[in-house]
Each structure stands twice: as structure tokens, then as C-alpha cells.
Amino acid sequence: MKPLIAGARVAAAYLAIVALLTALYWIDFFTSGGVHVRDDAVYLAFEKAFPLADAWMAACSLLGAVGLWRRRSWGLLFGLLAGSAQ
């Protein structure tokens, strides 16, 4: 099996980091609220509109990272889907 080219390793690492940081952001948002910029109702309503979209982006990022790391054709597809969701 050929080793991953440097660009694919970098892309896989980036996608994995995006998935992890997105999950950590939403965990903090709904538990401690440390990432809240403001506490007014309009800001919180606006931010609460994004978890589903960000979950989609994180899932595509994670699948893209795994696919690229394993050199599967679907890795590129999910990487592109993650990029289009950002």
C-alpha cells in the first residue's frame, strides 16, 4: 500500500480537527456557556439555529478525514461536502 501524499495527510488532519473543535464548541455552548459572546435572547436564538448544520459539517469532516486517511474514494466526497457546509 502506498503511503498518503503530504496534501492528503494535511487535509485529513484539518478535517479531523474541524470535527473535534466543532463538537467541543457545541458541548461548551449547551453546558457551561463559556463560548457565549452575549447573553441576550436574540443572540442565543441565532446561535441555537446552527447545531444541526454544524453537526452535518462535523460528520462530513470526520468521514472525510477517515476516508482520506484510508485512501477511499468517498473521503474526497465527504471532504468536499464538509467544505461546502462551512
Side-chain angles (χ1 to χ4, degrees):
M1 182 183 223
K2 294 179 187 177
L4 282 174
I5 59 172
R9 273 186 273 155
V10 171
Y14 172 74
L15 288 167
I17 290 168
V18 166
L20 176 67
L21 291 180
T22 302
L24 290 175
Y25 174 85
W26 286 109
I27 289 168
D28 184 83
F29 182 86
F30 286 113
T31 57
S32 70
V35 294
H36 291 186
V37 176
R38 300 179 348 206
D39 288 324
D40 60 314
V42 173
Y43 166 76
L44 293 175
F46 177 77
E47 283 298 316
K48 288 180 181 178
F50 288 95
L52 183 59
D54 281 357
W56 169 252
M57 179 191 66
C60 288
S61 296
L62 185 59
L63 287 169
V66 170
L68 287 175
W69 192 258
R70 292 184 178 177
R71 299 175 2 141
R72 303 286 195 259
S73 60
W74 47 266
L76 177 60
L77 172 65
F78 280 102
L80 291 171
L81 287 171
S84 71
Q86 293 181 14

